[in-house]
Amino acid sequence: TVDSTNEVAKRLIQAGLIQRHAWILADAQTAGKGTQGRQWQSPPGAGLYLSVAHVHPFEWLSDQASLSTSRI
């Protein structure tokens, strides 16, 4: 049980514990989040709750952007 798989992902990224990809799974959430700020009901045993975290290596992204603009 976690507060929110999204919040766990944010904390792990901020702490530098996710370098590329991670899947955060929980059997229950106490403060799950839905779309448009809606609360998400996540009772124990009713489902599997998941967030996928992907950290972009911004250096690579900026290199690709530079290559793209230089070819135009």
Side-chain angles (χ1 to χ4, degrees):
T1 301
V2 298
D3 56 346
S4 159
T5 56
N6 282 340
E7 291 301 318
V8 170
K10 286 180 192 177
R11 290 192 297 266
L12 291 172
I13 290 169
Q14 290 170 346
L17 297 173
I18 297 175
Q19 299 297 315
R20 297 286 281 172
H21 321 293
W23 293 263
I24 294 83
L25 303 169
D27 64 347
Q29 299 179 105
T30 59
K33 297 179 181 182
T35 59
Q36 299 179 2
R38 296 185 186 115
Q39 190 176 29
W40 182 267
Q41 299 299 317
S42 314
L48 179 63
Y49 309 100
L50 162 75
S51 290
V52 177
H54 177 74
V55 179
H56 274 276
F58 288 108
E59 299 81 28
W60 175 85
L61 187 61
S62 63
D63 289 345
Q64 290 299 315
S66 297
L67 289 174
S68 295
T69 56
S70 68
R71 291 181 183 169
I72 293 176

